[in-house]
């Protein structure tokens, strides 16, 4: 039996979405294991993360990991917005 979850992270611009997408997509294939698989794609201003897992424990672990990765990318990009270098 397969279990699935989908996260849609919507941003104010395609540039921001692309920044987040590039930050998390590089982890594809490095985090997945034999019990879970993840895809990441962009749809306009939205980054879509789809997680599939063989069991609920693996699904929960993968969901936590990918939500954390997206959250870190969002926080880092926000710091970049307020940096004097970025202005």
């Amino acid at each position: 039996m397969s279990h699935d979850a989908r996260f849609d992270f919507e941003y104010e611009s395609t540039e921001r979405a692309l920044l987040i997408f590039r930050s998390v997509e590089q982890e594809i294939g490095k985090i997945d294991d034999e019990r879970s698989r993840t895809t990441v794609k962009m749809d306009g201003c939205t980054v879509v993360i789809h997680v599939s897992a063989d069991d609920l424990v693996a699904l929960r672990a993968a969901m936590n990991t990918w939500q954390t990765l997206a959250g870190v990318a969002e926080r880092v990009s926000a710091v970049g917005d307020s940096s004097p270098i970025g202005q």
Side-chain angles (χ1 to χ4, degrees):
M1 174 183 279
S2 179
H3 303 279
D4 300 288
R6 175 182 161 148
F7 300 103
D8 294 324
F9 296 93
E10 191 171 333
Y11 300 97
E12 67 278 357
S13 67
T14 55
E15 291 82 13
R16 178 58 54 101
L18 182 60
L19 179 63
I20 303 304
F21 170 77
R22 287 182 177 165
S23 296
V24 297
E25 77 158 337
Q26 61 189 321
E27 301 301 331
I28 293 291
K30 296 178 184 173
I31 295 174
D32 294 343
D33 59 21
E34 65 278 350
R35 293 171 51 207
S36 68
R37 294 140 312 280
T38 305
T39 60
V40 180
K41 70 177 186 174
M42 259 187 70
D43 184 12
C45 294
T46 304
V47 175
V48 179
I49 299 175
H50 181 257
V51 179
S52 294
D54 295 338
D55 57 79
L56 291 175
V57 173
L59 179 65
R60 181 176 161 209
M63 289 170 48
N64 288 340
T65 297
W66 288 97
Q67 285 180 314
T68 299
L69 288 172
V72 168
E74 290 172 353
R75 288 191 300 278
V76 170
S77 69
V79 168
D81 287 345
S82 63
S83 168
I85 295 171
Q87 297 177 354

